[in-house]
Amino acid sequence: MSQSPPSDGRAHCFRILGVDPAAAGPTGYAVIEVLGRDCRVLHYGALKVPPKRRRASQGAVLHDVHVLLCGLIREFRPQIMAVESVFTALNMRTALRLAEVRGVVLLAAEQAGLAVRSYSPREIKACVAGYGHADKRQMQQMVRAQLGLQELPQPSDAADALAVALCHLQTDRLEQRFGIKSKELTPASRRNPSNSLTRSTRATTSRAVSIQSDR
């Protein structure tokens, strides 16, 4: 679903392509545009490959996902792709199928020279909803509120892709504001970055005291 037409390029903007790969269900996708403190949705949806096509070809899903993302990258020209990582609690068969889909997602980004950042499902939920175990309805409501949408984004897979893009946006802003690397941001510190800074400051102070004592 297209929310807003692409900007005319007169003002500097930053675009994020969010992707929620799926092993069996639809793969969600979303493009958001950031201009200063403002953020708007350009496009979102979910690709569902018909069961008949799935049965006819084992590579149908991979092909269609790759074609879709290549088209989105050409049309919207995002600066970065944010992707949900493989959920570790999945059974082996589902995890492998999800990894295959995620592989073609990364391939599309690589072919376009597009940078990629990955976030776990728990990170995304904690960042967007403030709770690492938020359900799909809660995520839809939070995405709607944060992006100022008129209605709940449907289907939930598309809302998840919007949440992935929002997670990257918020993480990037925290990194720029506080100089924190992404690997240092836990779900708790995403909600309250001062906690992370305080721990970092305490650690630095402790090392300094230790050095002074050694002297």
Side-chain angles (χ1 to χ4, degrees):
M1 177 182 294
S2 295
Q3 274 306 109
S4 306
S7 65
D8 57 12
R10 287 178 295 180
H12 176 70
C13 63
F14 184 78
R15 291 178 182 170
I16 305 168
L17 171 58
V19 184
D20 175 39
T27 288
Y29 55 88
V31 182
I32 65 174
E33 182 178 80
V34 184
L35 182 58
R37 301 301 302 177
D38 297 326
C39 179
R40 64 172 182 160
V41 177
L42 297 184
H43 186 64
Y44 69 88
L47 173 67
K48 184 175 182 179
V49 180
K52 185 176 180 179
R53 176 162 167 72
R54 285 174 176 269
R55 292 191 295 269
S57 172
Q58 292 185 350
V61 174
L62 305 182
H63 173 271
D64 290 0
V65 169
H66 183 264
V67 170
L68 168 71
L69 293 178
C70 288
L72 290 173
I73 293 171
R74 284 195 302 270
E75 180 178 359
F76 294 98
R77 299 182 181 180
Q79 278 71 43
I80 195 162
M81 177 188 288
V83 188
E84 183 173 292
S85 60
V86 177
F87 187 37
T88 54
L90 295 173
N91 63 61
M92 182 62 69
R93 183 176 180 180
T94 303
L96 288 174
R97 290 169 61 187
L98 180 56
E100 290 175 347
V101 177
R102 196 169 182 275
V104 298
V105 171
L106 299 180
L107 174 62
E110 177 64 24
Q111 290 174 327
L114 190 62
V116 178
R117 289 283 293 274
S118 295
Y119 302 93
S120 71
R122 186 174 180 181
E123 282 182 297
I124 296 166
K125 292 178 179 180
C127 189
V128 175
Y131 175 55
H133 297 285
D135 60 30
K136 287 189 175 295
R137 181 72 177 181
Q138 290 173 320
M139 291 298 291
Q140 286 176 294
Q141 291 172 336
M142 291 303 296
V143 166
R144 175 188 178 184
Q146 292 185 33
L147 291 172
L149 299 176
Q150 295 293 321
E151 53 190 34
L152 287 181
Q154 298 285 358
S156 60
D157 309 275
D160 289 342
L162 286 166
V164 176
L166 275 174
C167 177
H168 173 73
L169 172 60
Q170 295 182 23
T171 300
D172 184 63
R173 283 175 172 172
L174 282 175
E175 291 175 3
Q176 291 186 28
R177 183 176 180 183
F178 297 105
I180 307 171
K181 295 182 180 179
S182 59
K183 64 178 63 178
E184 296 174 352
L185 288 171
T186 62
S189 64
R190 290 178 194 276
R191 296 192 300 272
N192 187 0
S194 62
N195 289 342
S196 179
L197 292 176
T198 301
R199 287 194 296 270
S200 177
T201 303
R202 287 173 179 170
T204 302
T205 304
S206 298
R207 286 195 296 270
V209 171
S210 177
I211 293 172
Q212 290 292 339
S213 299
D214 292 341
R215 292 177 179 175

